Amino acid sequence: MANSIIVGANPQGRAFARALMSPTVRQSGWRGRLPGRSQIRPHRLVGFVDDREPPRIDETLEAPLLGRLEALGEIVRRESIDEVFLALPVSSAPRISEALSQLRDSTASVHFLPQWPEHSELQVRINHIAGTRMLTVCGSPFTGPRAALKRAADIALALTAILLTGPLMLMIAAAIRLTMPGGPVLFRQRRHGLNGRTIEVWKFRTMRVTEDGDTVKQATRSDPRITPLGAFLRRTSLDELPQFFNVLQGRMSVIGPRPHALAHNEFYRDRIDGYMLRHKALPGITGLAQVSGARGETDTLDKMERRVAYDLQYLREWSPALDARILWRTVAQAVKGDDRAY
C-alpha cells in the first residue's frame, strides 16, 4: 500500500485527488514505474500540504490538510509517505525548490504536476536538444519514428487509393467538364498546413465559383453555388479524392485535422483557445472530428469549438490503431452518404 500526499490544495491538485480516489483507481491501484519494471500500486491518499489556511482553502477538501510546506519533510516521515505529488504552478519556482529541499533526505518518489496554460498539454514530453534535456509542452506528436511510421502509412494508403480509384477519378473529371464547361476540373484553394505554412489543396470542383483568399464563404445547405453533380460528390466525399495526390506531395496526410480556408483560420484563431495548435500535424483528408459528427457547416462558434476539440484530442491520443478506426469509419460514412457534407 503506497501512502500519497498532494502538495497544493489548488484546483489541479484537488482534481488529481478526485482521480486518485475514484473507485477504479482505489481498487486496482495506479500504474507507477520502478527501475526495470512497471507495477500496479494500491494507494491511500493521506492528505494535502499547502501554505494557505482556512478560509482561503475550501473546508470540503478531498483529504485532510496536514500542514504547511515548511513542514513537508516532517510530514513525509511522520506519515510514512511513499509518493509526493507536487501540484504547483510553474511560476512557483521558490516553492518547488523548497519542496525538493524538504525531500532531499526522503525515499519518497516525487511527481511534478505543473499547472500549464490551457491547451499546452497538447504534447508534453521530455526532449534532448543540443545535448540539453528540456520539457516540450506544445510540440508535434509526429517526430522521429512516429513521423516515419505516419509518413510510410500515408504513402501506402495514397498509392493504393489512387490505383483503386483512378478510373473513377477520370469519370468524375469528365462529368465535371460536361456539366461545367469552361471552368477547371480541380478546385485549388490555399489553406494552412503543417506549422501554419500555406499549402494548395486540390478537390474536384463542386461549385460554379472558385473562391479563395480573404473572403471565402463557407458552403451552406441548399447552397445555390453547388451544382447537382457537386452535391453528390460532396455527400459521398468523392470530391476529396484528388487530395491523395496532395498526400504524395507531402502537403497532407490521409488522417489529421481538416485544413480550413485561410479566411476561416484568421477568423477563428483569436476566438477559440488553442485553435492554431491543430496545425502541429499535417492536415488530413479525413479526421476524428469528421467521423465524430463535427462535419459540415460551422455556422456557430460552438460548432467550430467542438471540431477543434476533436482535432486536439486526435493529436493527444494519436496511435496507428486510432488512424485505422478513423479510416474505417470514413469509408463506412462515404458508402452510406452523409447529409452533413454540403
Side-chain angles (χ1 to χ4, degrees):
M1 177 70 69
N3 292 327
S4 308
I5 60 172
I6 299 175
V7 180
N10 48 45
Q12 185 184 23
R14 297 190 60 187
F16 181 66
R18 290 190 291 272
L20 278 180
M21 297 178 70
S22 66
T24 301
V25 174
R26 293 191 65 169
Q27 292 173 13
S28 61
W30 56 277
R31 184 171 295 277
R33 172 68 64 181
L34 290 180
R37 63 190 179 97
S38 62
Q39 66 171 8
I40 298 294
R41 304 193 69 187
H43 81 94
R44 180 173 70 93
L45 179 58
V46 178
F48 288 93
V49 172
D50 200 294
D51 281 343
R52 297 170 299 168
E53 297 180 355
R56 293 183 62 199
I57 296 180
D58 193 333
E59 295 181 357
T60 60
L61 287 176
E62 291 74 12
L65 182 62
L66 303 175
R68 297 173 61 85
L69 183 59
E70 62 188 21
L72 177 60
E74 178 186 346
I75 293 170
V76 166
R77 290 188 292 272
R78 183 182 71 228
E79 302 292 342
S80 300
I81 299 300
D82 302 293
E83 310 288 340
V84 177
F85 297 94
L86 301 180
L88 298 171
V90 293
S91 58
S92 298
R95 297 174 66 201
I96 295 171
S97 296
E98 181 181 352
L100 294 176
S101 176
Q102 290 277 336
L103 298 170
R104 66 184 182 277
D105 63 346
S106 168
T107 60
S109 298
V110 181
H111 310 274
F112 188 33
L113 285 73
Q115 295 182 28
W116 303 111
E118 189 174 8
H119 295 300
S120 64
E121 75 281 4
L122 174 63
Q123 286 293 327
V124 179
R125 62 166 61 90
I126 294 177
N127 279 328
H128 288 79
I129 301 176
T132 303
R133 187 168 60 176
M134 60 187 65
L135 195 64
T136 300
V137 296
C138 285
S140 170
F142 303 114
T143 58
R146 292 161 66 97
L149 177 62
K150 179 78 165 169
R151 182 61 183 153
D154 279 340
I155 293 174
L157 288 171
L159 287 174
T160 300
I162 291 170
L163 290 174
L164 292 177
T165 65
L168 177 59
M169 283 196 274
L170 291 176
M171 293 173 59
I172 293 173
I176 293 173
R177 178 62 68 194
L178 290 173
T179 57
M180 288 186 285
V185 169
L186 291 180
F187 170 53
R188 302 166 183 258
Q189 189 178 67
R190 291 174 300 148
R191 303 193 175 187
H192 282 141
L194 179 65
N195 294 323
R197 296 187 180 93
T198 301
I199 62 172
E200 186 179 74
V201 174
W202 299 348
K203 298 177 68 172
F204 279 124
R205 186 180 173 193
T206 60
M207 289 186 176
R208 297 179 176 88
V209 299
T210 55
E211 294 177 336
D212 195 5
D214 300 329
T215 57
V216 175
K217 179 182 177 183
Q218 194 174 37
T220 60
R221 190 178 295 277
S222 302
D223 195 315
R225 299 172 299 168
I226 300 176
T227 66
L229 173 62
F232 170 76
L233 295 177
R234 284 171 170 264
R235 187 169 60 254
T236 56
S237 298
L238 293 175
D239 62 322
E240 312 281 0
L241 289 178
Q243 290 174 25
F244 284 111
F245 291 100
N246 291 145
V247 173
L248 290 183
Q249 294 167 339
R251 299 177 185 172
M252 296 182 65
S253 175
V254 175
I255 300 167
R258 285 290 297 157
H260 298 158
L262 300 185
H264 297 156
N265 277 347
E266 293 305 317
F267 179 81
Y268 288 113
R269 66 190 303 166
D270 295 329
R271 290 170 170 83
I272 300 177
D273 289 338
Y275 179 85
M276 293 304 289
L277 291 178
R278 61 196 302 278
H279 297 94
K280 298 303 292 184
L282 285 171
I285 298 176
T286 185
L288 181 61
Q290 284 61 49
V291 300
S292 302
R295 186 181 182 184
E297 184 182 5
T298 51
D299 53 345
T300 61
L301 187 63
D302 65 296
K303 288 183 180 179
M304 183 59 82
E305 288 176 336
R306 181 168 177 253
R307 180 181 294 183
V308 172
Y310 278 119
D311 290 339
L312 298 185
Q313 177 185 346
Y314 172 76
L315 295 181
R316 287 193 300 269
E317 301 177 2
W318 177 82
S319 69
L322 178 58
D323 273 0
R325 290 195 297 271
I326 293 172
L327 185 61
W328 172 255
R329 291 169 64 182
T330 298
V331 173
Q333 286 184 3
V335 171
K336 181 180 177 181
D338 191 345
D339 61 3
R340 288 167 301 191
Y342 47 82

